């Protein structure tokens, strides 16, 4: 099974560097990395070039377009179209993966399903403090280390860091959290994603990723919860792109998707590219 990891980013080169360090020490090595860049400046390209040359055995693919507001779904569709693999893992450029992040998604991948997980959110000061050695050694996933460095003690939520093996599987089963398609930690089969025409490019920030999962479910693709198994740490940052008008528009689109059982968006991959050619690449 070929694996493509798609990392979305926009003008967070310091955070992206920490994330790429996390992927350089994965216990599963055979995957391509695609950076879906929503118009970052040259600093992001320099980070990508550094890792392409010196760290990974395969070159990193930098998919970029000119910035024109929040257009994450547009650049993600371009990344999906460029992916050469059967199976796609999606995350954000502010989420550092645990060493077994890729292998967990690969192990749990199943025909007829997409996988859903989440992230442990860190405060800004701790996000800034984390260095390369902290990531390489894996100590950032140790709750005692995190607590000593400004992390809040939340015993229930922190189970995402401490649960392993069968205990993690049990928690995945009994958690009340819904298994949704979320851009920071999710995965699915490329052909399933193409069958619903990818992300809806009308949508800006706020549930724009979940809507894709809702169409997949309408199509008959089920979701599997990996909340306590596929673990990553979310680095804090400002979100200047949040606005109420976009949030309301996204809610309207999602309501229509749910009520009308929509399975295909006319504003997805096929709106700007030939989906037949894309399908031929995967077959």
């Amino acid at each position: 099974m070929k694996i493509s990891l798609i990392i979305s980013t926009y003008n967070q080169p310091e955070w992206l560097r920490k994330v790429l360090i996390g992927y350089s020490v994965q216990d599963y090595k055979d995957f391509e990395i695609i950076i879906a860049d929503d118009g970052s400046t040259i600093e992001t390209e320099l980070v990508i070039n550094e890792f392409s040359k010196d760290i990974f055995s395969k070159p990193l693919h930098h998919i970029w377009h000119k910035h024109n507001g929040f257009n994450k779904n547009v650049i993600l569709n371009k990344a999906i179209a460029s992916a050469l693999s059967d199976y796609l893992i999606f995350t954000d450029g502010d989420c550092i993966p645990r060493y077994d992040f890729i292998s967990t998604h690969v192990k749990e991948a199943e025909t007829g399903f997409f996988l859903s997980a989440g992230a442990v959110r860190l405060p800004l000061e701790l996000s800034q403090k984390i260095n390369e050695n902290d990531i390489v050694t894996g100590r950032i996933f140790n709750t005692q280390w995190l607590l000593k460095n400004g992390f809040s003690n939340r015993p229930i939520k922190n189970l995402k860091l401490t649960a392993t093996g069968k205990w993690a599987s049990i928690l995945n089963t009994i958690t009340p959290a819904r298994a949704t398609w979320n851009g920071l930690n999710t995965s699915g089969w490329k052909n399933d994603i193409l069958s619903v025409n990818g992300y809806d490019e009308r949508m800006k920030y706020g549930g724009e990723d979940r809507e894709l999962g809702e169409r997949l479910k309408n199509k008959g693709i089920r979701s599997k919860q990996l909340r306590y198994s596929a673990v990553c740490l979310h680095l804090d940052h400002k979100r200047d792109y949040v606005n109420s008008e976009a949030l309301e528009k996204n809610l309207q689109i999602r309501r229509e998707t749910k009520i009308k059982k929509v399975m295909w968006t006319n504003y997805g991959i096929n709106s700007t590219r030939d989906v037949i050619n894309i399908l031929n690449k995967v077959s």
Side-chain angles (χ1 to χ4, degrees), residues 4-20:
S4 293
L5 173 71
I6 297 178
I7 305 174
S8 66
T9 192
Y10 172 66
N11 275 345
Q12 293 283 349
E14 182 185 352
W15 277 194
L16 180 61
R17 189 176 193 281
K18 294 181 182 186
V19 169
L20 290 175

Side-chain angles (χ1 to χ4, degrees), residues 14 37 53 56 90 102 128 190-191 203 224 233 237 259-260 277:
E14 182 185 352
D37 186 347
K53 293 176 182 177
F56 293 98
F90 294 81
I102 297 288
Q128 294 169 332
K190 182 172 180 177
N191 278 338
M203 301 182 76
K224 186 193 295 188
L233 299 177
H237 58 86
I259 293 169
K260 297 183 178 180
N277 290 336

Side-chain angles (χ1 to χ4, degrees), residues 205-256:
Y205 177 80
E208 77 284 351
D209 38 18
R210 290 193 177 193
E211 194 273 341
L212 169 56
E214 287 154 3
R215 278 185 280 118
L216 286 170
K217 288 185 177 181
N218 292 341
K219 185 83 174 178
I221 307 300
R222 299 164 63 188
S223 59
K224 186 193 295 188
Q225 181 65 267
L226 291 186
R227 184 178 177 85
Y228 295 91
S229 301
V231 179
C232 61
L233 299 177
H234 188 281
L235 304 171
D236 193 24
H237 58 86
K238 293 181 180 179
R239 291 172 178 79
D240 298 329
Y241 42 76
V242 179
N243 69 83
S244 57
E245 183 180 345
L247 290 171
E248 180 55 35
K249 182 179 179 180
N250 287 3
L251 285 174
Q252 290 176 0
I253 294 171
R254 290 181 64 195
R255 279 194 289 264
E256 182 176 354

Side-chain angles (χ1 to χ4, degrees), residues 42 44-54 60 62:
I42 188 66
T44 292
E45 184 178 356
L46 293 175
V47 169
I48 294 169
N49 289 342
E50 172 193 348
F51 280 84
S52 292
K53 293 176 182 177
D54 302 328
L60 276 65
H62 186 196

Side-chain angles (χ1 to χ4, degrees), residues 70-71 73-74 77 199-205 208 211 215 246 249-250 252-254 256-257 262 264-268 271:
F70 184 93
N71 283 304
N73 281 5
V74 177
N77 278 344
Y199 288 90
D200 189 312
E201 296 183 0
R202 295 173 295 172
M203 301 182 76
K204 306 301 180 181
Y205 177 80
E208 77 284 351
E211 194 273 341
R215 278 185 280 118
K249 182 179 179 180
N250 287 3
Q252 290 176 0
I253 294 171
R254 290 181 64 195
E256 182 176 354
T257 296
V262 174
W264 175 273
T265 176
N266 291 325
Y267 304 91
S271 64

Side-chain angles (χ1 to χ4, degrees), residues 8-243:
S8 66
T9 192
Y10 172 66
N11 275 345
Q12 293 283 349
E14 182 185 352
W15 277 194
L16 180 61
R17 189 176 193 281
K18 294 181 182 186
V19 169
L20 290 175
I21 292 169
Y23 284 107
S24 73
V25 292
Q26 291 291 294
D27 61 2
Y28 188 98
K29 303 294 185 184
D30 190 16
F31 60 98
E32 71 166 349
I33 296 179
I34 303 171
I35 309 295
D37 186 347
D38 194 16
S40 299
T41 54
I42 188 66
E43 288 79 9
T44 292
E45 184 178 356
L46 293 175
V47 169
I48 294 169
N49 289 342
E50 172 193 348
F51 280 84
S52 292
K53 293 176 182 177
D54 302 328
I55 307 298
F56 293 98
S57 58
K58 298 179 181 180
L60 276 65
H61 304 290
H62 186 196
I63 308 298
W64 180 93
H65 63 191
K66 186 176 181 180
H67 185 66
N68 185 26
F70 184 93
N71 283 304
K72 179 181 176 182
N73 281 5
V74 177
I75 199 65
L76 282 173
N77 278 344
K78 292 176 181 177
I80 291 166
S82 74
L84 300 177
S85 305
D86 311 312
Y87 198 76
L88 310 181
I89 302 172
F90 294 81
T91 190
D92 288 339
D94 54 13
C95 294
I96 303 176
R98 196 168 66 185
Y99 75 94
D100 58 347
F101 183 88
I102 297 288
S103 61
T104 299
H105 277 273
V106 171
K107 180 180 68 175
E108 297 293 339
E110 185 177 349
T111 301
F113 287 82
F114 71 81
L115 306 182
S116 170
V120 177
R121 298 183 181 275
L122 304 183
L124 180 59
E125 186 176 351
L126 177 52
S127 300
Q128 294 169 332
K129 183 176 182 178
I130 290 172
N131 62 40
E132 180 173 350
N133 195 46
D134 296 330
I135 300 167
V136 170
T137 60
R139 59 174 164 251
I140 57 172
F141 294 94
N142 181 288
T143 53
Q144 294 304 313
W145 184 88
L146 289 169
L147 291 171
K148 288 178 182 178
N149 287 277
F151 190 60
S152 299
N153 188 13
R154 300 167 297 177
I156 301 299
K157 290 190 176 182
N158 293 350
L159 282 172
K160 284 187 280 187
L161 292 167
T162 58
T164 58
K166 290 183 178 180
W167 178 226
S169 299
I170 291 170
L171 290 172
N172 288 334
T173 303
I174 66 174
T175 179
R178 290 186 300 164
T180 60
W181 186 278
N182 66 82
L184 58 82
N185 191 346
T186 196
S187 64
W189 299 95
K190 182 172 180 177
N191 278 338
D192 288 342
I193 297 166
L194 293 178
S195 75
V196 298
N197 206 20
Y199 288 90
D200 189 312
E201 296 183 0
R202 295 173 295 172
M203 301 182 76
K204 306 301 180 181
Y205 177 80
E208 77 284 351
D209 38 18
R210 290 193 177 193
E211 194 273 341
L212 169 56
E214 287 154 3
R215 278 185 280 118
L216 286 170
K217 288 185 177 181
N218 292 341
K219 185 83 174 178
I221 307 300
R222 299 164 63 188
S223 59
K224 186 193 295 188
Q225 181 65 267
L226 291 186
R227 184 178 177 85
Y228 295 91
S229 301
V231 179
C232 61
L233 299 177
H234 188 281
L235 304 171
D236 193 24
H237 58 86
K238 293 181 180 179
R239 291 172 178 79
D240 298 329
Y241 42 76
V242 179
N243 69 83

